[in-house]
């Protein structure tokens, strides 16, 4: 619908078990801006995002801990070296 991608990913009725680490890593891997609206994602983007969530979640389950993070809790992106910053987004972001 017309809500932020970041909120949709944290909605447990949409993707149970998805939390901030999975959300951030999947959005990064799928190259999707968390501030975007769900209703603006093209079907291939949505498919890429769901696959990224699934891949990270399965890797976590198999390893018993989350895989190495490329962007979550980092000052710099592990892929390009660009700066990364923590920010609260949407209704389901960081608690105040």
């Amino acid at each position: 619908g017309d809500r932020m991608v970041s909120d949709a990913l944290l909605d447990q009725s949409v993707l149970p078990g998805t939390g901030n680490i999975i959300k951030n890593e999947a959005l990064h891997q799928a190259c999707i801006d968390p501030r975007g609206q769900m209703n603006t994602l093209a079907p291939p983007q949505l498919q890429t995002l769901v696959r990224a969530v699934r891949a990270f979640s399965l890797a976590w389950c198999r390893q018993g801990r989350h895989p190495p993070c490329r962007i979550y809790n980092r000052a710099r992106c592990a892929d390009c070296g660009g700066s990364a910053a923590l920010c609260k987004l949407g209704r389901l972001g960081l608690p105040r």
Side-chain angles (χ1 to χ4, degrees), residues 5 9 14-15 18 22-32 38 41-60 62 67:
V5 174
L9 287 176
V14 175
L15 288 167
T18 301
I22 295 170
K23 174 194 74 173
N24 290 319
E25 292 298 315
L27 286 167
H28 176 70
Q29 182 179 344
C31 300
I32 294 175
M38 285 300 295
L41 292 181
Q45 288 176 298
L46 189 54
Q47 186 175 36
T48 299
L49 181 56
V50 170
R51 284 182 177 158
V53 168
R54 185 174 187 272
F56 197 87
S57 299
L58 287 174
W60 192 330
R62 287 184 185 119

